[in-house]
């Protein structure tokens, strides 16, 4: 900035955190300030001398403050290039004083739309117009102006200004951060507006022509799936309270890449049950899962499902962990990597963090259970050169659509186990076969190339316990061999979507083995 102009900063912020010390620091460096209504009043209350923007422009704020910074003397002061003769002439003619700094953050649009029952007019009023215009103008003209958009930048900017004007490199860095902020803001507005379109346009707005995702870096991870892979965790701007992104870590080592994946899988499964439930996760698949009258009993059943695989597992509970459950968790020869639950009773927390050998290392995560949404949220999956987007498979099935297709109907006990197995099955990687009994997972065949292979694995895991058990299959049996294998294991009831050209053959096989079978009419592949 030329020495012929005073050091001037335009200050217009919604979030005033840290602003007091920052502006006072600038004042000590000889800056004077122009500001808008709310920010001006705040600074004056802090004892800072401020020039009201209306005094500078000669034009009042109008329309309840909607129009205040959209003025040539404001944007001329931001966009002007004082060393260009033509710009210098305009600056002189219209009595413009160029800004050395623009300090601006935007209306809290995302915080507003995150509130329950927010109305469209309320959201619309939080769409900032003048703020993004000033930010983009300053970012574009970073060769002359420093644009400060976040309180995390305040100290660095102050320290840099103490040694002289901001360097071109620093102004360029601030400019990039500013454009990133406005891009995120605009995408949030666009996504919200698409979400409130009338129902008849929903099929188009659900999957728009272009997609941008706003993510903020949350954690730098030690590495990814393997030590030679770098990794970081990025979170949505306003993630749901019931999400791994919002979970509070109460104890233990830092989370790894694989921990995040397993915790997310564990949280989703536990959230699907109404009764007290415990889930044991290995490599995003459940190796143990059970429901019971008490959480301690549910855990005991879940861990017994596959105690070998449960070593070094991730656990989830859909109730606060109580002392009785913690005592079972702390039994010898059990090693737990992480636990996610709605809360931990004080006695349980004390046990988990003092009694077992892994007390200092176990990651204890506090997170509410997910609630079934009114409509499925969108799921994003990266592929080479693109992104697959689908509605997430998170709505519970309507049991009134289920149909018994065999001569024998399931008993009440079998029906309970079938319902349990069907919930678990949708969370197992396809081809998925689940063997369960008494609302306890006995064996799961996951991610195999054939459904028959998954059946073999599930039966092997279940062992002799499979007598009188049920089978849940995420997709139809293409041949009767899967039913024959289940019969050998002692299975007495099956639940599957149906829909194969060989359904009659599969039904006949069930009738031969006196197996009851339900068709749900809905497939639950999870690739």
């Amino acid at each position: 900035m030329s020495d012929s102009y005073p050091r001037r900063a335009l200050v217009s912020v919604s979030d005033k955190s840290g602003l007091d010390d920052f502006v006072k620091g600038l004042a000590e460096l000889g800056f004077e300030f122009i500001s808008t209504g709310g920010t001006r009043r705040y600074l004056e209350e802090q004892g800072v001398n401020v020039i009201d923007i209306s005094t500078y422009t000669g034009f009042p704020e109008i329309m309840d403050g909607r129009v205040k910074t959209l003025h040539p003397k404001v944007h001329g002061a931001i966009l002007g290039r004082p060393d260009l003769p033509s710009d210098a002439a305009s600056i002189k003619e219209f009595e413009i004083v160029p800004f050395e700094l623009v300090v601006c953050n935007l209306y809290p649009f995302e915080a507003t739309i995150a509130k329950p029952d927010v109305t469209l007019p309320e959201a619309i009023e939080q769409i900032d117009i003048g703020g993004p215009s000033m930010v983009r103008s300053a970012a574009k003209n970073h060769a002359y102006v420093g644009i400060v958009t976040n309180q995390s930048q305040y100290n660095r900017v102050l320290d840099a200004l103490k040694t002289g004007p901001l360097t071109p490199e620093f102004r360029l860095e601030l400019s990039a951060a500013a454009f990133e902020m406005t891009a995120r803001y605009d995408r949030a507005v666009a996504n919200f507006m698409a979400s409130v379109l009338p129902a008849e346009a929903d099929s188009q707005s659900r999957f728009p022509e272009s997609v941008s995702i706003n993510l903020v870096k949350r954690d730098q991870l030690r590495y990814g799936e393997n030590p030679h892979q770098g990794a970081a965790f990025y979170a949505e701007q306003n993630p749901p309270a019931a999400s791994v992104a919002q979970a509070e870590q109460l104890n233990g080592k830092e989370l790894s890449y694989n921990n995040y994946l397993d915790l997310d899988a564990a949280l989703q499964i536990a959230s699907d049950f109404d009764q007290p439930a415990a889930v044991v996760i290995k490599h995003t698949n459940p190796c143990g899962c059970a429901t019971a009258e008490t959480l301690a009993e549910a855990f005991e059943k879940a861990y017994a499902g596959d105690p070998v695989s449960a070593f070094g597992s991730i656990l989830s509970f859909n109730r606060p962990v109580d002392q009785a459950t913690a005592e079972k968790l702390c039994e010898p020869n059990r090693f737990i990597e992480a636990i996610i639950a709605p809360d931990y009773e004080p006695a349980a927390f004390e046990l988990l963090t003092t009694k077992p050998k892994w007390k200092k290392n176990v990651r204890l995560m506090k997170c509410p259970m997910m609630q079934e949404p009114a409509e499925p949220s969108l799921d994003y999956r990266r592929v080479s050169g693109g992104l697959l987007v689908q509605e997430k498979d998170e709505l519970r099935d309507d049991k009134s659509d289920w149909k018994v297709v065999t001569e024998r109907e399931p008993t009440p006990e079998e029906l309970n186990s079938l319902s349990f197995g069907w919930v678990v099955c949708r969370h197992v990687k396809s081809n998925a076969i689940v063997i369960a009994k008494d609302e306890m997972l006995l064996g799961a065949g996951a991610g195999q190339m054939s459904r028959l292979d998954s059946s073999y694995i599930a039966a092997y895991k279940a062992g002799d316990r499979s007598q009188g058990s049920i089978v849940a299959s995420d997709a139809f049996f293409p041949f009767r061999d899967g039913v024959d294998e289940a019969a050998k294991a002692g299975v007495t009831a099956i639940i599957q979507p149906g829909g194969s050209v060989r359904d009659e053959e599969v039904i006949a096989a069930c009738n031969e083995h006196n197996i009851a079978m339900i068709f749900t009419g809905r497939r639950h592949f999870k690739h």
Side-chain angles (χ1 to χ4, degrees):
M1 188 65 62
S2 170
D3 293 337
S4 61
Y5 301 109
R7 304 192 85 177
R8 182 170 283 187
L10 173 62
V11 184
S12 179
V13 296
S14 176
D15 180 0
K16 298 172 179 62
S17 304
L19 185 65
D20 182 12
D21 291 339
F22 179 54
V23 169
K24 287 179 180 177
L26 292 176
E28 291 175 2
L29 295 172
F31 276 82
E32 59 184 29
F33 308 100
I34 287 183
S35 191
T36 55
T39 307
R40 174 185 58 77
R41 288 190 293 273
Y42 173 81
L43 292 177
E44 287 175 342
E45 289 170 1
Q46 309 307 312
V48 178
N49 291 324
V50 183
I51 302 169
D52 184 75
I53 199 162
S54 297
T55 302
Y56 169 63
T57 62
F59 197 91
E61 293 184 19
I62 61 173
M63 301 178 182
D64 295 325
R66 277 191 164 197
V67 180
K68 51 193 173 188
T69 60
L70 298 171
H71 191 282
K73 287 190 72 172
V74 174
H75 286 272
I78 300 174
L79 287 164
R81 296 158 293 182
D83 55 3
L84 245 63
S86 58
D87 284 17
S90 296
I91 288 170
K92 182 178 180 180
E93 179 181 357
F94 296 106
E95 299 180 341
I96 292 170
V97 179
F99 293 119
E100 185 175 345
L101 282 182
V102 172
V103 183
C104 184
N105 55 55
L106 310 180
Y107 292 170
F109 179 79
E110 288 173 291
T112 299
I113 62 174
K115 294 176 182 177
D117 303 321
V118 65
T119 65
L120 181 58
E122 288 170 342
I124 294 296
E125 279 307 303
Q126 293 303 317
I127 298 176
D128 205 327
I129 302 301
S133 299
M134 290 188 294
V135 169
R136 289 175 59 84
S137 295
K140 175 178 179 176
N141 203 30
H142 64 269
Y144 300 88
V145 183
I147 173 62
V148 183
T149 53
N150 193 295
Q151 69 176 92
S152 65
Q153 300 165 336
Y154 289 173
N155 288 338
R156 283 189 64 205
V157 170
L158 269 181
D159 289 342
L161 286 169
K162 288 174 183 176
T163 61
L166 299 182
T167 64
E169 293 78 14
F170 193 11
R171 291 196 302 270
L172 180 61
E173 178 188 334
L174 294 171
S175 171
F179 279 123
E180 177 63 31
M181 181 190 74
T182 58
R184 290 198 312 265
Y185 194 85
D186 287 343
R187 176 44 52 193
V189 173
N191 288 344
F192 174 78
M193 296 305 292
S195 74
V196 297
L197 287 175
E200 58 267 25
D202 186 61
S203 61
Q204 298 176 18
S205 64
R206 194 76 171 146
F207 300 98
E209 292 301 314
S210 63
V211 173
S212 297
I213 304 172
N214 295 336
L215 301 172
V216 178
K217 186 175 178 180
R218 179 67 60 84
D219 287 317
Q220 180 69 45
L221 305 179
R222 288 178 60 198
Y223 53 78
E225 287 180 287
N226 300 290
H228 64 276
Q229 296 171 262
F233 175 55
Y234 289 80
E236 297 170 3
Q237 289 287 91
N238 287 290
S243 67
V244 171
Q246 289 279 56
E248 179 185 359
Q249 184 167 357
L250 305 178
N251 185 72
K253 298 188 296 185
E254 63 184 9
L255 294 171
S256 72
Y257 183 97
N258 293 333
N259 289 156
Y260 275 111
L261 291 174
D262 287 338
L263 284 166
D264 187 55
L267 178 64
Q268 291 186 51
I269 301 177
S271 295
D272 261 0
F273 291 102
D274 297 322
Q275 284 184 280
V279 181
V280 186
I281 290 288
K282 283 298 282 290
H283 305 288
T284 72
N285 280 302
C287 65
C289 182
T291 61
E293 292 298 317
T294 69
L295 202 65
E297 183 186 354
F299 167 69
E300 198 164 32
K301 289 169 64 179
Y303 199 90
D306 188 352
V308 174
S309 297
F311 188 84
S313 58
I314 304 289
L315 306 181
S316 61
F317 299 94
N318 65 353
R319 300 285 194 282
V321 178
D322 55 22
Q323 183 175 351
T325 305
E327 286 173 351
K328 292 186 179 298
L329 284 163
C330 295
E331 288 178 2
N333 301 318
R334 285 180 175 167
F335 170 56
I336 308 300
E337 284 275 0
I339 302 171
I340 189 165
D343 208 345
Y344 302 81
E345 293 183 359
F349 186 82
E350 177 74 14
L351 279 170
L352 293 172
T353 55
T354 59
K355 187 175 180 180
K357 290 181 179 179
W358 35 264
K359 57 193 175 188
K360 293 182 180 179
N361 295 325
V362 66
R363 303 155 177 92
L364 299 182
M365 310 298 295
K366 178 181 175 181
C367 182
M369 291 292 104
M370 297 175 174
Q371 301 296 314
E372 185 180 12
E375 62 177 16
S377 56
L378 293 183
D379 197 23
Y380 301 85
R381 193 161 183 181
R382 184 85 164 87
V383 294
S384 300
L387 196 70
L388 290 168
V389 183
Q390 67 169 349
E391 291 181 338
K392 196 170 183 179
D393 185 11
E394 57 188 346
L395 301 184
R396 298 189 183 185
D397 290 358
D398 186 349
K399 292 184 181 180
S400 66
D401 294 333
W402 291 6
K403 180 179 173 185
V404 178
V405 294
T406 48
E407 293 171 358
R408 183 174 77 80
E409 295 208 2
T411 66
E413 292 78 12
E414 287 172 335
L415 189 57
N416 283 339
S417 292
L418 289 167
S419 298
F420 170 84
W422 190 240
V423 172
V424 176
C425 188
R426 69 191 291 176
H427 295 284
V428 177
K429 295 292 179 68
S430 58
N431 288 314
I433 293 290
V434 161
I435 294 181
K437 183 180 179 182
D438 298 329
E439 298 178 50
M440 170 184 174
L441 175 61
L442 301 176
Q448 298 306 303
M449 284 65 76
S450 84
R451 195 157 299 278
L452 189 58
D453 288 342
S454 291
S455 298
Y456 288 142
I457 293 170
Y460 168 76
K461 289 286 188 181
D464 294 340
R465 299 175 300 176
S466 63
Q467 295 297 317
S469 65
I470 66 91
V471 157
S473 174
D474 64 347
F476 61 67
F477 286 97
F479 304 99
R480 67 169 287 163
D481 52 7
V483 172
D484 294 332
E485 192 63 31
K488 291 178 188 176
V491 168
T492 61
I494 293 174
I495 187 167
Q496 60 133 320
S500 167
V501 295
R502 293 184 175 86
D503 273 350
E504 292 304 318
E505 178 184 320
V506 172
I507 293 169
C510 284
N511 288 330
E512 288 176 24
H513 296 297
N514 196 33
I515 292 174
M517 185 161 65
I518 288 176
F519 280 3
T520 66
R522 178 177 287 187
R523 189 181 77 183
H524 285 297
F525 268 160
K526 185 179 182 182
H527 278 3

